[in-house]
Amino acid sequence: MAAFMMLPPRPRKDRVFRGTISHLTNLNDDELRRRYRFGKDSIAYLCNLLQDRLSRPTNKATALTVEQQVCIALRFYASGSFLQVIGDTLGYDKGTVSRVVSDVTDALIDIKDDFVSWPTDVDSINRIKCGFYRQCNFPNVLGCIDCTHVRIQAPSDDEPSYVNRKGYHSINVQAVCDFEGRFTNIFANWPGSTHDSHIFNTSTLSNYLQTNHRGLIDGVILGDSGYAFRPFLLTPYAYPIERHQQRFNGFHASTRSVIERTFGILKRRFHVLHSEVRMKPEKVCRIFGACAVLHNIALSRNEPLVNDDGAGVRLDQPVQVPAFVGVQDGRNTREHVARVFLSN
C-alpha cells in the first residue's frame, strides 16, 4: 500500500485589528489639512454632526469609532486613491474602507438640505443679491449655474450614454452657487452625453422657478449660451453689436465666472472628483453631493485652500431695481438689464 505524504497543517493567521491610532493627536492642523482637507476642530465638528448616523450599535472594542470613519472617508475624498491604497495607508481592509465611504457618504447626503439649499427667505436673498452687486456690479443675481463632468469608469449598463463630447465616460452634474462660491443647488443625475440645458429643464430648480418666479425683482440666475432664455435665467448676447450689449456680456462673463472657480476649488479640495472614479454612476452622484456638502462646511468654517479674495461682504439692502413691466421672457428681461444698468 502506497504511503501518503502528509502535509503539515497551514498555520492559522492571527486576526489583526489595525488603524487604532488617532491621527488627530499626532498631526497638526496643516498636516491634517493636507491629508483630510480639514483641521482638527473641523473634523471634530464633522464627527459631532454625523455622530448619530455613524455610531455602531455594539460594544466590541474593535468597532470603528465615528472619528475613524470620518477620517477614512475624508482621506478617500481628498486623495481620490484606490480603496486598497486608502486601506493600506491607514491600516484597514479594502472592504472596510468601501463600507465606511458608503456609510459616510449616505450620512452626508442625509444632511444635505441643511447645507445646500436654495435661498427662500428675504434676508438670504438680499444678502446674495448684494454680494453679487458689490463684486461685479450686476443687479439682482441669485446665483450662477453651470455643469461639470466627473470622470467615471465605463459602466456596464447603457455605456454609450456616458461618453461626453470630449470622448471619455462621465456624469454631468449641474450646480448653482452664490457670490461666495457656496453651492445652493446640486443636481447630479445624468450621464455625460446629456446637454446642460436638458438637465436644467428636468431639474426641480427649473420647476420651482417656473412656478414661483414673479419677474426681475425676484432675481435671476446667470448661465452660459448653452441655456435657453428664461425670465429667471439670463444668457449672454450671441452677437453683441450695440455698446450696452457688449457691456452686458462683459459683466455677465465676470459675474458668472464664480461658478467655474467654484468647480475648480471643489475638485482641488477633493481629488476624487478630478480623477476617474471606479464606482457605479449612482454612487459617484452621491459622492459628488457629499463633497458639495463638505465644500460648503469648509467655507462656513473658513478652512483655508485659496487666498482670501474679499468674498463674504455683507450689505443690508440690494440695489433698487425699477419695475420691469415689459414682456416677462428671457430676451426682454436681458435687454432691460443691459439698457438700464450696464449701458453707462
Side-chain angles (χ1 to χ4, degrees), residues 153-194:
Q153 194 174 40
S156 56
D157 296 333
D158 198 18
E159 180 269 339
S161 68
Y162 288 90
V163 180
N164 62 28
R165 66 182 185 277
K166 296 183 179 180
Y168 62 85
H169 297 86
S170 68
I171 59 170
N172 197 6
V173 182
Q174 173 186 284
V176 182
C177 74
D178 65 12
F179 68 101
E180 295 176 304
R182 180 177 282 104
F183 290 112
T184 56
N185 184 265
I186 296 289
F187 189 38
N189 196 40
W190 288 93
S193 64
T194 311

Side-chain angles (χ1 to χ4, degrees), residues 25-318:
T25 59
N26 299 326
L27 302 175
N28 59 39
D29 277 346
D30 289 338
E31 292 171 328
L32 287 171
R33 290 188 180 104
R34 284 197 295 269
R35 292 165 173 80
Y36 305 107
R37 300 300 187 261
F38 288 91
K40 184 181 299 184
D41 290 343
S42 293
I43 292 177
Y45 171 80
L46 289 171
C47 292
N48 182 66
L49 195 65
L50 303 177
Q51 177 73 35
D52 294 339
R53 293 173 172 82
L54 297 179
S55 296
R56 305 295 189 186
T58 178
N59 294 323
K60 290 184 178 180
T62 57
L64 294 178
T65 64
V66 173
E67 177 190 298
Q68 288 172 323
Q69 295 177 69
V70 169
C71 286
I72 290 172
L74 289 179
R75 184 62 174 154
F76 172 74
Y77 300 146
S79 68
S81 298
F82 291 104
L83 297 175
Q84 184 69 64
V85 175
I86 299 296
D88 291 344
T89 302
L90 299 180
Y92 299 99
D93 183 74
K94 175 184 175 182
T96 299
V97 175
S98 177
R99 288 190 295 273
V100 167
V101 169
S102 179
D103 291 344
V104 174
T105 298
D106 290 344
L108 288 169
I109 293 298
D110 286 344
I111 63 172
K112 178 176 70 69
D113 291 342
D114 296 332
F115 296 95
V116 180
S117 60
W118 186 254
T120 55
D121 61 282
V122 174
D123 291 339
S124 297
I125 291 173
N126 286 345
R127 183 184 67 85
I128 294 175
K129 288 181 180 179
C130 290
F132 275 115
Y133 187 74
R134 177 65 177 266
Q135 287 184 348
C136 305
N137 293 326
F138 206 116
N140 268 28
V141 176
L142 282 180
C144 297
I145 187 172
D146 202 358
C147 289
T148 187
H149 289 270
V150 179
R151 187 187 293 264
I152 63 173
Q153 194 174 40
S156 56
D157 296 333
D158 198 18
E159 180 269 339
S161 68
Y162 288 90
V163 180
N164 62 28
R165 66 182 185 277
K166 296 183 179 180
Y168 62 85
H169 297 86
S170 68
I171 59 170
N172 197 6
V173 182
Q174 173 186 284
V176 182
C177 74
D178 65 12
F179 68 101
E180 295 176 304
R182 180 177 282 104
F183 290 112
T184 56
N185 184 265
I186 296 289
F187 189 38
N189 196 40
W190 288 93
S193 64
T194 311
H195 195 276
D196 295 359
S197 184
H198 178 74
I199 294 176
F200 177 71
N201 291 338
T202 59
S203 66
T204 55
L205 177 61
S206 177
N207 293 333
Y208 172 82
L209 292 174
Q210 289 185 63
T211 303
N212 298 280
H213 192 265
R214 298 170 300 174
L216 179 60
I217 194 65
D218 279 348
V220 295
I221 56 179
L222 304 183
D224 60 24
S225 56
Y227 292 96
F229 281 124
R230 298 291 185 88
F232 45 79
L233 198 166
L234 299 187
T235 61
Y237 288 94
Y239 304 102
I241 300 175
E242 299 184 34
R243 185 172 183 272
H244 73 276
Q245 296 175 340
Q246 296 170 352
R247 287 179 58 82
F248 177 91
N249 279 11
F251 281 108
H252 185 285
S254 62
T255 306
R256 200 190 68 82
S257 64
V258 65
I259 183 63
E260 297 172 351
R261 295 196 304 272
T262 300
F263 282 145
I265 293 172
L266 177 71
K267 292 184 178 183
R268 180 182 173 189
R269 191 187 298 274
F270 302 113
H271 288 174
V272 67
L273 303 178
H274 193 64
S275 55
E276 182 178 88
V277 187
R278 291 167 174 80
M279 293 182 175
K280 292 183 177 180
E282 55 270 21
K283 289 188 176 181
V284 179
C285 292
R286 296 182 69 81
I287 286 175
F288 189 100
C291 289
V293 172
L294 292 172
H295 169 85
N296 282 5
I297 292 175
L299 289 182
S300 66
R301 298 189 61 82
N302 296 316
E303 284 293 337
L305 179 67
V306 295
N307 293 331
D308 184 13
D309 58 0
V313 177
R314 298 290 188 269
L315 297 176
D316 292 329
Q317 292 295 327

